């Protein structure tokens, strides 16, 4: 009989990992990084050697690091099987894994400097560039709606999740107890109000559904209201004379923000004369979106000059080098600075926060989910002082949260997606914090009569 064990993204949003075992195959669905503080770092450093020996294949829903970021570590720890993903995800992983290895090496180098002075044990990166190249060679691209045969007579099909380039809903047909069982994993379901992506596919048949619940307790603001609020923030920042900082996830969120800035520019409503994209990875992804524009929503792409976000926003400058990034810190007002990481836990945004958070005329615009334990979450929750690059920094800037830009489905959209299934499958809620999961479970029961479970870490179910 096939079983499913919940190894990650259980009662939390990050660290996606699910083990599927049949009589003849062992599959790993997702292999994501945990994000958010010391406990996340500890979880990421745990050995994957036993898992690497056990698993026949890995299946990835999409390229975000909380879903795919530990695959190179799994390879480092001995895994040599195939990694199934969509071609779009494969393109993104070339960028994201290489960037993660580079950033990790720099972070560990910085960390080890003070560890050496304190006579503490030095750290190694979770993986290096050699592990990344080995992992990329294992990737096998599977197009949407094409059936792929896996080990143990398992069948795989990807469907468009509408979240980021290449994001997929994963459908697996598993031999179990003398019959086939159909498991559907939502991955990260997209927000139909978001630009550039198609709407998520709606599936009708399953025996079991793993459904994300990131925003299971609320809906997003209407997109037009969000855009109007952004325009108001930019106008206020212009009047105040300060900079606007936007911590943005390099994949998906950055491109959506650039799209809306380009529309405001086209309408004559962008007062800032300089827009900096200060993230090497986000720059590469933005250029990839231009090359892969035929995979995006054609109506949205038609509004962009040459299908390119960069061409549609003349004030935009790419800050590719460290020197380019450092030069931005000499600008005390009139700039929009978009930089990673999206939760402010690393990357160049921390330098810009250090130079701007203490300024009363600065504005920090949060456009994505901030996991518990991250710097972004502390700022959203009203921290008066934070530590940045070894210094205590007072928080005097205005903090704005724009939830409407989320690339995740809100509660009503999740409920609508769940209602399409005809076979009354068993629902299991993952990728959500406890309050969001409980709220979604209650809403599913009240509106659709669905009794959804909320699995715990390490819990195993029979399929």
């Amino acid at each position: 009989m096939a079983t499913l064990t919940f190894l990650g993204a259980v009662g939390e949003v990050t660290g996606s990992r699910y083990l599927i075992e049949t009589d003849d195959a062992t599959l790993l669905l997702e292999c994501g990084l945990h994000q958010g503080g010391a406990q996340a770092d500890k979880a990421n450093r745990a050995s994957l050697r036993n898992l690497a020996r056990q698993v026949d294949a890995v299946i990835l829903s999409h390229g975000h690091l909380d879903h795919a970021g530990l695959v190179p570590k799994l390879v480092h720890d001995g895994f040599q099987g195939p990694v199934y993903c969509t071609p779009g995800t494969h393109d993104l992983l070339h960028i994201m894994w290489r960037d993660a290895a580079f950033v990790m090496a720099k972070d560990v180098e910085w960390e080890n400097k003070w560890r050496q002075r304190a006579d503490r044990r030095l750290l190694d990166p979770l993986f290096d560039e050699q592990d990344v190249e080995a992992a990329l060679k294992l990737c096998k691209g599977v197009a949407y709606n094409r059936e792929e045969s896996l080990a143990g007579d398992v069948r795989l099909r990807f469907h468009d999740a509408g979240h980021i380039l290449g994001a997929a809903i994963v459908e697996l047909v598993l031999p179990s107890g003398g019959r086939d069982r159909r498991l559907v994993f939502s991955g990260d379901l997209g927000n139909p109000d978001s630009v550039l992506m198609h709407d998520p596919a709606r599936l009708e048949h399953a025996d079991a559904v793993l459904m994300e619940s990131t925003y299971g307790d609320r809906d997003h603001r209407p997109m037009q209201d969000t855009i109007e609020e952004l325009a108001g923030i930019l106008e206020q920042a212009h009047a105040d004379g300060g900079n606007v900082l936007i911590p943005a996830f390099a994949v998906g969120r950055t491109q959506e923000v650039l799209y809306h800035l380009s529309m405001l520019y086209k309408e004559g409503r962008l007062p800032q004369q300089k827009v900096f994209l200060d993230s090497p990875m986000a720059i590469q992804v933005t250029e990839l979106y231009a090359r892969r524009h035929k995979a995006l929503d054609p109506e949205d792409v038609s509004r962009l000059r040459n299908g390119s976000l960069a061409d549609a926003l003349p004030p935009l400058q790419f800050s590719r080098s460290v020197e380019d990034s450092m030069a931005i810190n000499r600008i005390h007002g009139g700039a929009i600075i978009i930089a990673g990481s999206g939760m402010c836990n690393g990357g160049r945004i921390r330098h810009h926060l250090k130079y701007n958070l203490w300024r009363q005329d600065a504005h920090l615009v949060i456009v994505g989910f901030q996991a518990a334990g991250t710097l972004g979450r502390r700022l959203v929750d009203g921290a008066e002082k934070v530590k940045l690059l070894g210094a205590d920094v007072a928080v005097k800037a205005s903090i704005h949260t724009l939830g409407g830009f989320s690339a995740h489905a809100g509660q009503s959209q999740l409920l609508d997606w769940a209602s399409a299934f005809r076979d009354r499958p068993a629902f299991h809620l993952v990728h959500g914090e406890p309050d969001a999961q409980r709220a979604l479970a209650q809403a599913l029961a009240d509106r659709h009569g669905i009794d959804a479970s909320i699995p715990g870490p390490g819990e195993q179910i029979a399929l």
Side-chain angles (χ1 to χ4, degrees):
M1 178 170 290
T3 61
L4 174 88
T5 306
F6 297 88
L7 299 180
V10 183
E12 61 174 327
V13 174
T14 68
S16 190
R17 194 185 309 168
Y18 313 99
L19 188 68
I20 299 168
E21 298 172 275
T22 72
D23 290 340
D24 300 307
T26 300
L27 308 172
L28 190 63
L29 177 59
E30 313 281 73
C31 190
L33 273 167
H34 296 268
Q35 295 169 317
Q39 284 300 111
D41 292 341
K42 182 179 178 182
N44 290 331
R45 290 194 169 277
S47 174
L48 298 178
R49 288 188 182 91
N50 289 338
L51 203 57
R53 285 195 294 266
Q54 183 183 3
V55 169
D56 296 303
V58 173
I59 302 160
L60 301 176
S61 68
H62 67 286
H64 274 148
L65 293 181
D66 61 323
H67 289 255
L70 280 185
V71 172
K73 176 174 168 56
L74 187 72
V75 172
H76 176 86
D77 287 356
F79 177 72
Q80 296 181 347
V83 177
Y84 295 97
C85 59
T86 67
T89 294
H90 192 197
D91 286 346
L92 284 174
L93 292 176
H94 277 81
I95 298 169
M96 299 188 72
W97 285 346
R98 287 168 176 161
D99 182 84
F102 176 80
V103 171
M104 207 177 298
K106 292 293 184 184
D107 287 347
V108 167
E109 181 182 355
W110 179 275
E111 173 98 354
N112 282 340
K113 285 181 180 178
W114 74 261
R115 283 179 169 268
Q116 193 167 28
R117 289 195 298 267
D119 199 27
R120 295 186 60 180
R121 183 177 63 85
L122 301 184
L123 299 177
D124 292 321
L126 297 179
F127 54 83
D128 58 24
E129 293 180 3
Q130 186 174 347
D131 300 319
V132 167
E133 297 309 313
L136 288 170
K137 289 177 181 176
L138 298 177
C139 288
K140 184 171 183 180
V142 180
Y144 290 135
N145 304 312
R146 193 191 90 198
E147 187 169 275
E148 182 79 11
S149 296
L150 277 56
D153 293 325
V154 174
R155 304 196 302 276
L156 163 70
R157 192 182 296 268
F158 288 128
H159 305 268
D160 195 339
H163 176 58
I164 61 170
L165 180 67
I169 299 163
V170 179
E171 180 183 12
L172 290 168
V173 179
L174 308 161
S176 179
R179 57 159 284 189
D180 287 340
R181 304 284 177 174
R182 193 176 302 270
L183 171 68
V184 171
F185 172 47
S186 69
D188 283 354
L189 288 174
N191 178 356
D193 288 340
S194 294
V195 293
L196 300 176
M197 296 295 110
H198 298 102
D199 289 351
R202 291 165 62 88
L203 278 65
E204 297 183 349
H205 302 290
D207 295 292
V209 177
L210 306 187
M211 188 167 77
E212 71 128 315
S213 52
T214 308
Y215 288 97
D217 56 348
R218 59 197 185 277
D219 282 326
H220 307 304
R221 291 182 64 195
M223 182 56 68
Q224 193 55 45
D225 291 352
T226 300
I227 296 167
E228 289 303 316
E229 184 176 357
L230 174 62
I233 293 168
L234 298 179
E235 191 62 44
Q236 185 61 52
H238 178 64
D240 293 343
N243 291 323
V244 177
L245 307 186
I246 304 179
F249 299 91
V251 183
R253 196 64 43 82
T254 291
Q255 291 72 42
E256 184 172 13
V257 168
L258 290 175
Y259 178 91
H260 289 297
L261 291 177
S262 72
M263 295 300 106
L264 290 174
Y265 176 85
K266 191 174 182 181
E267 296 166 8
R269 302 177 66 196
L270 186 67
Q272 283 75 15
Q273 298 301 305
K274 295 181 183 297
V275 180
F276 296 97
L277 181 52
D278 188 21
S279 163
M281 179 165 68
I283 292 168
Q284 292 181 67
V285 173
T286 301
E287 292 171 336
L288 173 63
Y289 270 55
R291 294 195 300 273
R292 295 291 302 269
H293 67 267
K294 291 184 179 178
L296 307 177
D297 182 87
E299 185 176 343
D300 293 334
V301 171
S302 70
R303 299 190 180 101
L304 301 175
R305 182 182 172 193
N306 302 323
S308 166
L309 291 161
D311 289 349
L313 185 58
L316 178 63
Q317 299 180 38
F318 288 160
S319 301
R320 298 182 189 272
S321 69
V322 173
E323 291 75 20
D324 290 341
S325 179
M326 292 172 64
I328 298 172
N329 291 323
R330 295 196 290 269
I331 299 173
H332 296 159
I336 299 172
I337 304 164
I338 305 168
S341 67
M343 297 185 192
C344 305
N345 261 25
R348 295 180 179 180
I349 191 64
R350 295 175 71 87
H351 294 270
H352 300 303
L353 290 170
K354 183 178 179 179
Y355 279 89
N356 287 274
L357 264 186
W358 55 272
R359 301 176 186 272
Q360 290 187 334
D361 58 8
H363 292 256
L364 175 65
V365 182
I366 301 292
V367 295
F369 185 85
Q370 305 297 306
T374 62
L375 174 58
R377 181 64 164 265
R378 293 201 299 276
L379 291 169
V380 168
D381 289 344
E384 296 181 356
K385 183 171 67 176
V386 295
K387 187 173 284 294
L388 283 163
L389 307 175
D392 288 329
V393 179
V395 180
K396 300 294 185 182
S398 298
I399 312 294
H400 311 270
T401 302
L402 296 183
F405 281 131
S406 177
H408 287 260
Q411 187 193 69
S412 295
Q413 294 155 342
L414 290 168
L415 292 171
D416 182 60
W417 185 80
S419 71
F421 288 95
R422 297 181 177 180
D423 307 322
R424 299 195 65 79
F427 276 79
H428 308 280
L429 303 185
V430 295
H431 271 278
E433 293 181 351
D435 288 347
Q437 291 185 310
R438 287 190 290 267
L440 183 58
Q442 188 64 54
L444 285 166
D446 292 344
R447 300 189 199 181
H448 300 308
I450 294 172
D451 184 17
S453 76
I454 302 175
E459 185 174 330
Q460 185 179 85
I461 61 170
L463 296 171

